Amino acid sequence: MRKNVSQLLKEPIGSVRDCEVNETVDIAESSRLVQGKVRLIHTNRGILARGKLYTEVEVTCSRCLSLFNCPLALDIEEEYFPTADVVSGASLPLPDEPGYFILDEQHILDLTEAIRQYTLLAIPMKPLCREDCTGLCPICGHDFNQGPCDCLPQQVDSRWSELHKLT
């Protein structure tokens, strides 16, 4: 998502632009639709982008190993720093902060990389296709979500019998 913010940079600090987002973004080797709203705010250092975006990514269930689309809500908040003065075109110093985003020489704000990073951070560490996913048989690998398998029940070590009563 690319927005020209040159007019916003010419306005007083605190000026706001609201933008609708409805674009595809390359995330983790696939293109995904990202939708939502972003508010662009002129700050004393650049442009602050704040928004709530929604997308989904294809992930593997951590229990049954099936692929499924996982919906994600992203709360974006990043400040973009100009590289050139909007009036004179003179180069501007960049901040000493690591990982900052910039506006290019044409004053284009590109949210693509921020959206990609926020999406990767929002993916659950142990995604589940559904809350009651029953997983796979440890013997034959059958998906218990599709019903029971034909494996014989495993013998429980008698030393663990007290713990087995808790299930």
Side-chain angles (χ1 to χ4, degrees):
M1 182 195 129
R2 296 169 50 92
K3 293 287 182 190
N4 187 327
V5 294
S6 58
Q7 289 302 317
L8 184 57
L9 287 170
K10 291 177 184 176
E11 294 178 10
I13 293 174
S15 298
V16 173
R17 294 280 186 283
D18 289 324
C19 304
E20 292 284 330
V21 176
N22 189 15
E23 297 184 23
T24 57
V25 176
D26 289 332
I27 302 167
E29 300 175 7
S30 66
S31 293
R32 294 295 172 175
L33 179 64
V34 178
Q35 297 177 310
K37 293 182 181 184
V38 174
R39 175 167 277 184
L40 304 176
I41 305 164
H42 184 194
T43 67
N44 62 337
R45 301 186 329 161
I47 302 291
L48 178 65
R50 278 189 186 154
K52 184 83 163 179
L53 303 174
Y54 302 93
T55 189
E56 61 180 27
V57 293
E58 187 176 65
V59 293
T60 303
C61 178
S62 62
R63 288 185 188 160
C64 69
L65 305 180
S66 64
L67 291 173
F68 71 99
N69 286 327
C70 178
L72 301 174
L74 312 174
D75 288 319
I76 303 282
E77 185 169 333
E78 289 294 333
E79 189 166 16
Y80 287 75
F81 299 96
T83 56
D85 184 72
V86 72
V87 176
S88 68
S91 293
L92 295 174
L94 293 173
D96 292 333
E97 305 167 12
Y100 58 85
F101 292 100
I102 61 170
L103 303 172
D104 66 13
E105 295 81 24
Q106 290 79 34
H107 312 291
I108 303 293
L109 184 147
D110 190 355
L111 278 171
T112 306
E113 180 59 19
I115 291 171
R116 188 188 73 77
Q117 290 180 17
Y118 275 79
T119 302
L120 292 175
L121 289 172
I123 296 172
M125 290 179 68
K126 291 192 162 250
L128 295 177
C129 59
R130 59 182 204 238
E131 285 297 318
D132 62 341
C133 179
T134 53
L136 302 174
C137 173
I139 298 169
C140 70
H142 175 76
D143 186 350
F144 286 138
N145 294 317
Q146 299 173 358
C149 64
D150 296 329
C151 295
L152 296 173
Q154 285 184 315
Q155 295 295 326
V156 176
D157 188 333
S158 61
R159 295 174 290 180
W160 299 104
S161 62
E162 290 299 316
L163 289 177
H164 189 62
K165 293 176 188 176
L166 297 175
T167 59

